[in-house]
Amino acid sequence: MKRRTFVRHATVAGAGIAAAPVLGGQRLVADTIEGAPALVGLGQRADLVLRGGIVFDGTGAAPRSLDVAITGDRITAISSNLPAGGEELDVTGLAVAPGFVDIHSHADMNLFVNRNAESRIRQGVTLEIVGQDGGSIGPWSDAQFESNRDSWRRRGVEIDFRDPAGFVERITREAPAVNVASMVGNGALRGLVVGNEDRPATPAEIERMQDILSDLLERGCVGLSSGLEYTPSGFADAAELVALASVLVGTGLPYASHMRNEDDRLLGAVEEALHVGRVAGVPVQISHLKAQGQRNYWKAEAALDLIQRASDDGVDVHFDRYPYTAYATGLSNLFPSSYRAGGSQAFLARLRAPETAAVLEDAARDKVALLGDWNSVQISSTNDETSWARGRLLGDLARERGVEPYLLTLELLEANGGGVGMIGHGMGEQNTAMILSHPLGMLCSDGGAYAPYGPLSTGSPHPRGYGSFPRLLGHYVRDTGALTLESAIHKVTRMPALKLGIEDRGVLRMGACADVVAFDPDTIADRASFDDPHQYPTGIPHVVVNGALTLRDGEHTGALAGRGVTAG
């Protein structure tokens, strides 16, 4: 791989810095990381030494020209001129950072379909935080387990777990290429205890959900998530959310919320998320913060102000966002959640019923008008029978087929049992940069695990599943200067790890887990697009997971060293 060499030599003379080099516009400090001796254990030979890179330790500190030594699954030295290791990797001119932490991932079960985790590891992601949007992998009843087992068996995956803690335990046994931790979804809890009904949970039902949540946290889950635009998660009122979040007290773990609204009622939704954190007394993580629809663009700054003021008042609140101006969801989300109660078949029946059809049509048309027009809706996933719709803008597709767009929407929903994926083009570029650069913000992909081959190559997914982290470091850091390189790295490493209480990841220091990524700040870029999403990024030649060199010179080595990660 051709790359610009940023650093050749760095020396320290007395208290000053002689000939300090520059990487990505950042002045480098050539020195030993505080507290790190030249080598751990006299006479010990490191298994792997990354030689000559520019080390960003994840804390937001200035980068330094240093070597990194790895023995087993731990970092054993960070210093200059380290002794030779069992294996040497020349990373001269590359930025060397902790493996990236995706604080809001939907990789989940696809990590069993393709354990190489191609679209994840090639972004530099080494830790996935799944169980998002209220929809964790369980807890399941016997009937739910049987249904999910049959569904995944058809995709070649045998499941032997019924809840997110069991899922994480299976990750350790199965060992995909990345590490995985999971939150517990309030929607999964509600689906098990209350069902898909749109009604308040009874005190007894809330107590049972609390008991299940408490057990799953004790078994290592890393927080509670909600997806309040989805069912049955959104059937929970604020009091129920506070009651569940209160189980987190004393753990330091967050309540993460896909809020109840992200467009016309955005500010009220932010207030609700903050209210849950304040009343329950727990940290808050607002998921994929955005302001949808041009008429709501002004609310992005107002939402950030609400969050900043809450932080100033002592609420432990942060948020995350993917670096794109389009979101991904289900086509059914064009319709109000109250009409989706009872599951897909009940929803489809309401679309046909004379007494509800007109109300639902008006709601969908209003949502599309909010985004812009029918070409703001792009179909991302369907069944094989309607594969002709994948990747197409709904307005263009309707014109080609001679069908009114709303009627085509109904046709697709009916043909797919309600299960159609969509991408909504509805956010502003200026707001995206402002949100990504805010001090309380982190980066997420909000994306799944894919590959341009095999069963994960079908459909037309949001490009964020392939390109979120390279896009931040390339477009928003290098090309537009929205934030500095060390700030961006902090947002994808130490900052999310600390939010989840994971002390030994997201940082380059002695004794930390050896999750490391080496990338070229001058060439790193996302290549996946909305029209052609199954494309790997560029500029990330090397990734180490738990000491195993998993990506080398841009090629997957076949190493499968990931494991389940728990809180604490």
Side-chain angles (χ1 to χ4, degrees):
M1 181 190 76
K2 293 182 179 180
R3 65 177 184 261
R4 172 181 165 192
T5 300
F6 288 90
V7 178
R8 297 270 181 204
H9 301 284
T11 59
V12 176
I17 300 172
V22 173
L23 176 73
Q26 303 302 319
R27 185 67 56 181
L28 302 179
V29 179
D31 198 0
T32 301
I33 285 184
E34 184 178 354
L39 199 63
V40 174
L42 293 176
Q44 181 179 4
R45 183 181 176 90
D47 295 330
L48 173 65
V49 176
L50 281 69
R51 183 81 63 189
I54 309 307
V55 173
F56 292 76
D57 67 6
T59 67
R64 309 175 225 198
S65 180
L66 299 167
D67 302 334
V68 178
I70 295 169
T71 303
D73 65 352
R74 297 283 164 170
I75 296 171
T76 47
I78 304 178
S79 189
S80 54
N81 302 314
L82 289 177
E87 185 173 6
E88 297 271 322
L89 194 62
D90 181 7
V91 293
T92 303
L94 298 181
V96 177
F100 302 151
V101 179
D102 190 346
I103 196 165
H104 188 107
S105 166
H106 290 285
D108 296 85
M109 291 290 292
N110 277 352
L111 295 174
F112 296 139
V113 177
N114 184 335
R115 292 162 63 206
N116 284 340
E118 295 275 16
S119 74
R120 315 303 299 176
I121 205 72
R122 291 173 183 271
Q123 290 191 66
V125 174
T126 59
L127 174 57
E128 312 274 358
I129 312 301
V130 300
Q132 301 294 341
D133 297 332
S136 54
I137 304 298
W140 293 325
S141 66
D142 289 345
Q144 289 172 317
F145 170 75
E146 294 293 340
S147 175
N148 281 286
R149 183 177 64 178
D150 291 345
S151 175
W152 282 100
R153 182 174 284 164
R154 290 192 291 272
R155 301 188 65 185
V157 176
E158 289 287 340
I159 62 174
D160 59 357
F161 47 83
R162 295 168 180 259
D163 57 42
F167 166 77
V168 171
E169 291 164 4
R170 171 71 174 273
I171 287 287
T172 295
R173 299 197 306 273
E174 193 94 353
V178 293
N179 302 300
V180 183
S182 182
M183 291 192 161
V184 183
N186 87 301
L189 291 169
R190 215 174 202 274
L192 173 64
V193 175
V194 182
N196 287 316
E197 300 174 52
D198 184 3
R199 65 168 177 82
T202 67
E205 288 168 338
I206 290 176
E207 184 175 2
R208 186 181 172 208
M209 288 190 283
Q210 289 175 319
D211 289 343
I212 296 169
L213 174 59
S214 178
D215 174 68
L216 291 171
L217 294 173
E218 288 178 5
R219 292 169 58 198
C221 290
V222 296
L224 171 70
S225 77
S226 67
L228 303 179
E229 285 192 304
Y230 302 118
T231 63
S233 175
F235 298 148
D237 60 18
E240 180 179 322
L241 295 171
V242 168
L244 289 180
S246 67
V247 178
L248 300 169
V249 172
T251 68
L253 297 173
Y255 163 67
S257 183
H258 173 143
M259 297 181 295
R260 208 172 293 275
N261 186 271
E262 297 177 319
D263 46 64
D264 289 344
R265 298 183 300 281
L266 169 64
L267 300 182
V270 171
E271 289 282 17
E272 181 186 43
L274 296 172
H275 168 80
V276 171
R278 285 191 185 100
V279 177
V282 300
V284 175
Q285 182 76 17
I286 293 176
S287 298
H288 42 64
L289 180 66
K290 64 178 74 72
Q292 292 177 16
Q294 189 168 352
R295 71 186 183 221
N296 294 309
Y297 284 1
W298 68 272
K299 294 177 183 174
E301 188 170 359
L304 290 173
D305 183 60
L306 284 173
I307 294 166
Q308 183 64 63
R309 284 193 281 118
S311 177
D312 294 343
D313 288 343
V315 178
D316 181 355
V317 56
H318 296 83
F319 57 86
D320 49 70
R321 172 63 188 274
Y322 43 85
Y324 297 88
T325 58
Y327 63 92
T329 187
L331 191 62
S332 61
N333 272 57
L334 293 178
F335 304 88
S337 61
S338 58
Y339 289 89
R340 290 181 268 127
S344 295
Q345 292 308 310
F347 165 60
L348 292 174
R350 293 185 186 105
L351 288 176
R352 296 186 293 263
E355 63 272 20
T356 53
V359 173
L360 287 167
E361 180 177 352
D362 287 346
R365 292 187 184 279
D366 285 347
K367 182 72 171 183
V368 171
L370 167 72
L371 296 175
D373 56 29
W374 285 102
N375 269 353
S376 298
V377 178
Q378 185 173 10
I379 303 302
S380 58
S381 61
T382 66
N383 60 19
D384 289 341
E385 288 71 25
T386 52
S387 60
W388 43 265
R390 295 174 189 164
R392 300 300 309 281
L393 300 177
L394 199 51
D396 289 346
L397 186 60
R399 277 192 297 274
E400 287 180 15
R401 299 178 70 84
V403 180
E404 200 281 327
Y406 181 73
L407 296 180
L408 180 58
T409 299
L410 296 183
E411 178 185 336
L412 289 170
L413 288 169
E414 286 280 2
N416 287 269
V420 180
M422 69 161 274
I423 293 168
H425 297 268
M427 287 96 76
E429 178 60 37
Q430 183 176 351
N431 280 348
T432 299
M434 179 175 62
I435 289 169
L436 289 171
S437 62
H438 193 279
L440 295 176
M442 307 177 200
L443 184 81
C444 72
S445 77
D446 194 16
Y450 307 103
Y453 63 88
L456 299 185
S457 66
T458 61
S460 185
H462 195 300
R464 64 194 183 187
Y466 280 92
S468 290
F469 292 80
R471 183 168 177 79
L472 176 75
L473 299 170
H475 179 68
Y476 287 98
V477 172
R478 180 189 62 239
D479 298 341
T480 71
L483 64 170
T484 65
L485 189 53
E486 64 261 44
S487 173
I489 290 172
H490 178 59
K491 287 172 176 286
V492 300
T493 58
R494 195 59 175 156
M495 194 174 180
L498 288 179
K499 186 70 178 186
L500 300 165
I502 301 172
E503 288 288 339
D504 57 356
R505 298 187 191 270
V507 65
L508 295 184
R509 71 179 182 204
M510 283 175 44
C513 292
D515 295 342
V516 186
V517 57
F519 67 92
D520 186 342
D522 206 39
T523 63
I524 189 169
D526 61 314
R527 295 176 60 241
S529 67
F530 290 100
D531 293 329
D532 189 6
H534 291 286
Q535 297 191 78
Y536 297 138
T538 60
I540 305 179
H542 311 300
V543 178
V544 178
V545 181
N546 293 319
L549 190 53
T550 305
L551 197 69
R552 180 169 193 159
D553 296 322
E555 296 298 327
H556 203 301
T557 66
L560 299 171
R563 62 184 64 151
V565 173
T566 56

